[in-house]
């Protein structure tokens, strides 16, 4: 199976694209850069893990991706409070980031069992 076949990769890549598109006019470059970087990190680390040779390595990179999903969710929630992001839209993004974290947790456990 390729990482491109994984729903979690597809959904995280789609969310990353959305973050780039929807925040391109945001004037706070530091915030925008941090948010888009954390969003990009999720599918990128999934891909890197699946290009490795072992379940242990896959689990390690999925764990990094899960951390990035949490970072992204936090930044989205802060963006709402700071008035940078549309509340309704950003709440959907935050929920998607939360779901991605859950999906990644399940994949991590699967690969840890296989490597153990």
């Amino acid at each position: 199976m390729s990482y491109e076949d994984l729903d979690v990769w597809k959904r995280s890549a789609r969310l990353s694209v959305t973050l780039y598109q929807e925040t391109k006019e945001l004037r706070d470059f530091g915030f925008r850069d941090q948010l888009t970087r954390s969003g990009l990190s999720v599918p990128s680390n999934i891909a890197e893990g699946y290009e490795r040779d072992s379940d242990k390595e896959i689990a390690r990179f999925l764990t990094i991706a899960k951390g990035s999903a949490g970072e992204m969710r936090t930044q989205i929630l802060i963006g709402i409070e700071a008035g940078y992001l549309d509340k309704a839209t950003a709440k959907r993004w935050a929920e998607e980031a939360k779901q991605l974290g859950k999906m990644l947790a399940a994949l991590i456990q699967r690969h840890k069992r296989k490597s153990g």
Side-chain angles (χ1 to χ4, degrees):
M1 172 181 262
S2 167
Y3 64 85
E4 293 155 312
D5 298 320
L6 296 169
D7 283 341
V8 69
W9 182 84
K10 291 175 189 175
R11 287 172 61 174
S12 63
R14 193 175 316 121
L15 181 55
S16 180
V17 169
T18 299
L19 292 174
Y20 274 100
Q21 291 172 335
E22 297 294 321
T23 63
K24 67 183 172 193
E25 303 296 324
L26 192 60
R27 290 182 177 206
D28 186 330
F29 177 76
F31 176 80
R32 183 180 74 219
D33 185 56
Q34 191 68 31
L35 175 59
T36 54
R37 282 175 184 264
S38 63
L40 183 61
S41 178
V42 179
S44 297
N45 278 291
I46 294 168
E48 187 166 354
Y50 274 84
E51 291 294 322
R52 300 289 175 140
D53 290 333
S54 71
D55 285 296
K56 184 176 180 179
E57 283 286 289
I58 293 170
R60 184 168 78 89
F61 279 91
L62 291 175
T63 300
I64 295 167
K66 186 176 181 299
S68 293
E71 181 183 358
M72 173 178 45
R73 183 166 178 252
T74 295
Q75 291 159 359
I76 291 167
L77 294 172
I78 290 170
I80 292 169
E81 291 301 313
Y84 287 169
L85 304 173
D86 174 72
K87 190 172 187 175
T89 301
K91 282 192 176 270
R92 286 194 305 273
W93 296 344
E95 182 57 31
E96 180 69 354
K98 186 177 183 179
Q99 292 305 313
L100 292 170
K102 289 178 181 181
M103 294 169 78
L104 287 164
L107 267 180
I108 291 164
Q109 291 309 311
R110 187 170 86 195
H111 286 286
K112 282 185 173 181
R113 280 193 302 273
K114 286 170 69 177
S115 72

